[in-house]
Every structure is written in C-alpha cells, then in structure tokens.
Amino acid sequence: MSKKLLLKDAHIEGIRYFETYRKQGGYTAAEKALKMTPDEILEEVKASGLRGRGGAGFPTGMKWSFLAKPEGVPRHLVVNADESEPGTFKDRYLMEFLPHLLIEGMLISSYCLGSNTSYIYIRGEYSWIPDILEEAIEEAKAAGFLGKNILGTGFDLEIYVQRGGGAYICGEETALLESLEGKRGNPRLKPPFPAVKGLWERPTVVNNVESIAAIVPIIDITGAEYAKIGVGRSTGTKLISACGNINKPGVYEIDMTITVEEFIYSDEYCGGIKDGKKLKACIPGGSSVPIVPANLLLRTVNGEPRYMNYESLADGGFATGTMMGSGGFIVLDEDQCIVEHTMTLARFYNHESCGQCTPCREGTGWMYKILKKIEKGEGKMEDIDLLWDIQRKIEGNTICPLGDAAAWPVAAAIRHFRDEFEWHVKNPELSQTQNYGLAHY
Ligand code: SF4
C-alpha cells in the first residue's frame, strides 16, 4: 500500500473546515516553518527532490531558487489551479476536500519566497470551488494564519482567489499571468521568465496546486525524509486521477514505486478494466502526453516492468520526456477506436489554441479536419502521411507547449496504431457504421 501524505485525512468528516483540519495537526507545519528562515525552508524543499506536479516535473526547489529579489520590488506566489488537462482532476479533489492543506502550503511557500500577496488562479468551470477556498481563507485569517503579523512573526500575507474564464491556454503560466492581469490569456515569449518578470513585471513563482500542498508534509517530516519515499528522482507521493474504461475511477495517492500493471489491476487503485475487457492503451499523464499501447505500457522495450514514476514512464523510445505529465491517467479498452479518440483530442487543441502562432493555429485545424475525414471513412492513404507531416511541423515551432501537446498525441497514434488509420481508409463503409475497436475484437 502506498504511503499517504496529502490524502491521509481526506476521509475525515469536516476536514474541509479549519477546526477539524487543525485538530488533525493542521498548520503545525506552518508554525514550524515560520520559526525557520526562508533559506532553511528552501533547503528543505531542495532536499525533498519535489518535482512540479503540474506536468513538466521541474524541480520545485530549483525553480524557487531562480526567483529574482531586486530591492524594493514585491514578489508573488501564484498557484496554478487552472486544471484543464483532459483526464486530470486531482487538484479539484485537493481544493474541494482539503482547502486548508493548500492554504497552509501557500503560507509556508509565500513566507519562503517573500510574497505578501499570493493568488490562486482557478479555472472557470470549477465554479463551486472558489467559495470553498474563500471560506478557508477567511477561517485561516480569523485564526491568525493569514493577514497582518502572522503568529507575531511580522510576516503579512493576503491570498486572493481569481476565477479564470474557462480557457485551457490559461494553464500555461505566462498566459495565466496575462489573464490575472486582466488581459487576454495569450502566452508570452520567454525569456524573460516569470521568476524575473512575472505578474505586473514583478518576480513571480507559478506552481501547481499539488506542488504547493506537498510543501506541508515536506516541512512536517523534513525534506530528507520526503526524499526517502519513492524511488530515484521520483520522490514523495503523487496524486493520480484515473478515468476511462476502469472499474474504479478516482483520485489516488501513490508513492511511485508501484508498477503500472498494479495500478491498473489492483483493487486498491483502478480495480481492472471494466466488464473484463482487454487493455488496449493508456494515456498516462493527461492528454498532452502520447498514447501508449498496452504492450509498451506494462513493460519497457527491454521487458522490465514499467513503474508509475517519472523515470520509468520516460524510456522506451517515446516521443517526449516524462509521461507522468499532470497525473491524468486515461485507460482505453479494446473496444475504443484510436482514430476517433485522436480526432476528439485534435478538436480540443484546435478549439483551445490561442491563435498567436501559425503552426499551432493552422496546424491544429488541419489535423482535426484530416482526422475527421479519415474517421468518417473519407480519407486517403496519403492523408495519414500528411497528418504525420503536419504534426512534425508544429512540434518545437511554437511560442508555448500547446503546439507540442497537440502534435504528440497524433504522432503517437500514428506510430503505434497506423493499422487503425489504414483500416478506416480501406473500409469506408464499415468505418461509417462501426469503430475499429468493435470491428476487431
Ligand atoms: Fe497560442 Fe498555440 Fe502558439 Fe501556444 S502554441 S501561443 S496556444 S498559438
């Protein structure tokens, strides 16, 4: 059984409220942190090996150490709660059930970074959660953990919740900052990075909800102890939101030492494939990472078991780095049609492209059109090659990672499931009435 650090109290009734959270030991990590110096906290975060839980997996301590500290210029912490990646809903769970864990993590992090005004930018569709967060903020303030001169330390902190308008692109950190400033959420060219010129051109750290929540156990048990959980550079615990054709969809906390097979088939986690069907493929880290066929998902190309961690999900000749991504684990059974699935994703990225870069704006539209044509049985063989060519021209040629995120699922689908694309081309009548999965199993 995986060790629980973030969700250990999630089952306790009333844990959403300050009184219950405090009774369970809540805010003791903050009390401990406020007796430390900011540099000591930074060293603990570095020692923990925590990697950003939003998708990129960049070391949090290193990110914090890049924060510029010019004299007299305010700094900010911005929590990225714009969780819009298809298949990802673990931050929603944290904010809905454990809002004080996030507030406590923000208090410790803001103190470490020197931010007296911090923000939670939350996606517009999570319409009921800002009220939960604002209630928690008020409770924390009434108990002296927010506001002026917190616990007599002289440190002041205000936290504001800002609702987004429902644009996926605002999960990209610079688009988020633009939106927070009241502008259209277009990603900025980098450099300068937010650590130097972020919110209102001030030094800013943007971190995911889960990353900031993880600061609480890191301070509680120390960075060194946190680093002992997990394996290699995949330290601590990770929240995974599992969905698709499984028996037990939900949010799970894993310690990154379990295998992918155990995660899918164990009753402790996904509980196996629904209706006893066969596993076909999985997207292990939200829709922006490539789809992985079952044979490569459970075992590496060398035949080793594949583990639920950053390193093990990074090898095997995949198109990108780590596949842990945002922790959105989408399982597809044998009946699913990869062409239809890829078309759905292409439509999503085309809709969500901000339109600044030509390869992304035009390329996502063309990929969607061609996929739609193939899926309807109206495609030609050369359309598959054209699709491949378009995704190659998007990858690496755009301002922000949305372009790559749109290209990778198409690349992986063609690489691993080219036979399904060809089936649609060769069987125009059948592909109008049946999907490939149902026709083949
Ligand atoms: Fe906008 Fe797409 Fe360019 Fe990102 S890659 S800036 S979403 S057009």
Side-chain angles (χ1 to χ4, degrees), residues 7-267:
L7 303 186
K8 65 181 170 53
D9 295 330
H11 62 286
I12 294 173
E13 204 183 328
I15 194 69
R16 188 178 128 180
Y17 300 105
F18 179 85
E19 204 184 325
T20 312
Y21 181 75
R22 184 80 171 133
K23 265 191 205 146
Q24 293 302 317
Y27 288 99
T28 51
E31 288 171 322
K32 182 178 171 185
L34 290 172
K35 289 183 189 134
M36 297 163 70
T37 65
D39 282 346
E40 284 169 342
I41 296 173
L42 180 59
E43 286 313 309
E44 290 298 327
V45 177
K46 281 185 181 168
S48 74
L50 175 71
R51 295 169 70 170
R53 303 304 198 213
F58 191 80
T60 304
M62 197 185 292
K63 187 173 192 176
W64 288 13
S65 67
F66 293 155
L67 186 70
K69 294 177 179 161
E71 193 73 21
V73 180
R75 306 189 279 274
H76 297 290
L77 168 69
V78 176
V79 171
N80 185 346
D82 193 71
E83 185 181 50
S84 315
E85 185 79 2
T88 312
F89 45 91
K90 44 104 186 165
D91 292 340
R92 182 184 81 188
Y93 189 90
L94 270 181
M95 291 186 286
E96 192 169 354
F97 296 102
L98 294 155
H100 280 287
L101 188 66
L102 175 61
I103 306 299
E104 185 177 3
M106 286 183 74
L107 168 55
I108 299 168
S109 307
S110 299
Y111 171 69
C112 175
L113 298 166
S115 166
N116 299 114
T117 313
S118 298
Y119 298 87
I120 303 171
Y121 182 95
I122 185 164
R123 71 178 289 204
E125 291 89 340
Y126 286 175
S127 57
W128 68 102
I129 296 181
D131 288 347
I132 295 173
L133 292 171
E134 276 163 357
E135 187 179 11
I137 289 167
E138 285 312 310
E139 284 185 323
K141 205 180 239 185
F145 286 99
L146 288 178
K148 294 255 175 241
N149 191 22
I150 296 167
L151 304 184
T153 58
F155 177 65
D156 305 335
L157 176 62
E158 295 293 340
I159 294 178
Y160 296 100
V161 181
Q162 176 65 45
R163 295 158 168 86
Y168 170 76
I169 192 58
C170 289
E172 195 280 334
E173 61 177 5
T174 59
L176 185 156
L177 295 175
E178 287 283 298
S179 176
L180 196 49
E181 289 178 6
K183 294 179 252 172
R184 182 187 159 105
N186 280 357
R188 298 173 182 168
L189 275 169
K190 292 191 267 191
F193 290 93
V196 178
K197 272 191 176 182
L199 190 62
W200 297 300
E201 302 206 345
R202 296 166 178 173
T204 303
V205 163
V206 183
N207 269 141
N208 168 260
V209 170
E210 184 188 346
S211 310
I212 294 298
I215 300 301
V216 175
I218 287 170
I219 295 301
D220 196 20
I221 64 175
T222 75
E225 286 302 310
Y226 185 89
K228 287 181 190 164
I229 302 164
V231 60
R233 290 179 57 233
S234 299
T235 61
T237 62
K238 174 87 190 81
L239 296 186
I240 305 287
S241 54
C243 62
N245 307 118
I246 47 174
N247 286 317
K248 291 171 60 192
V251 177
Y252 298 100
E253 184 169 13
I254 62 163
D255 64 12
M256 295 194 269
T257 60
I258 62 167
T259 64
V260 173
E261 192 162 5
E262 188 183 347
F263 184 69
I264 294 175
Y265 291 101
S266 152
D267 277 343

Side-chain angles (χ1 to χ4, degrees), residues 169 186-187 352-358 360-361 398-403:
I169 192 58
N186 280 357
E352 297 297 339
S353 167
C354 83
Q356 280 193 101
C357 334
T358 307
C360 174
R361 183 187 61 241
T398 56
I399 293 174
C400 90
L402 188 143

Side-chain angles (χ1 to χ4, degrees), residues 265-388:
Y265 291 101
S266 152
D267 277 343
E268 193 186 338
Y269 305 107
C270 302
I273 308 296
K274 223 171 167 191
D275 302 324
K277 291 190 187 292
K278 278 196 279 183
L279 172 69
K280 181 174 194 174
C282 174
I283 302 176
S287 67
S288 296
V289 304
I291 191 165
V292 189
N295 63 327
L296 275 178
L297 181 68
L298 304 182
R299 307 245 148 217
T300 67
V301 284
N302 301 322
E304 299 290 321
R306 198 177 287 283
Y307 291 89
M308 294 284 290
N309 64 46
Y310 291 97
E311 285 76 31
S312 191
L313 283 170
D315 64 353
F318 293 127
T320 180
T322 182
M323 310 271 290
M324 281 296 275
S326 58
F329 197 86
I330 308 168
V331 178
L332 280 73
D333 73 19
E334 56 191 315
D335 288 348
Q336 306 311 313
C337 173
I338 299 296
V339 177
E340 186 185 2
H341 174 81
T342 311
M343 180 193 72
T344 307
L345 287 181
R347 183 175 56 207
F348 170 79
Y349 287 112
N350 179 229
H351 183 259
E352 297 297 339
S353 167
C354 83
Q356 280 193 101
C357 334
T358 307
C360 174
R361 183 187 61 241
E362 300 299 323
T364 54
W366 278 107
M367 288 198 302
Y368 171 50
K369 274 184 206 162
I370 296 168
L371 280 159
K372 198 158 90 171
K373 205 169 124 186
I374 297 173
E375 202 273 333
K376 281 168 75 182
E378 295 167 2
K380 300 190 188 88
M381 279 301 172
E382 49 266 37
D383 286 333
I384 305 172
D385 296 326
L386 180 59
L387 203 51
W388 178 265

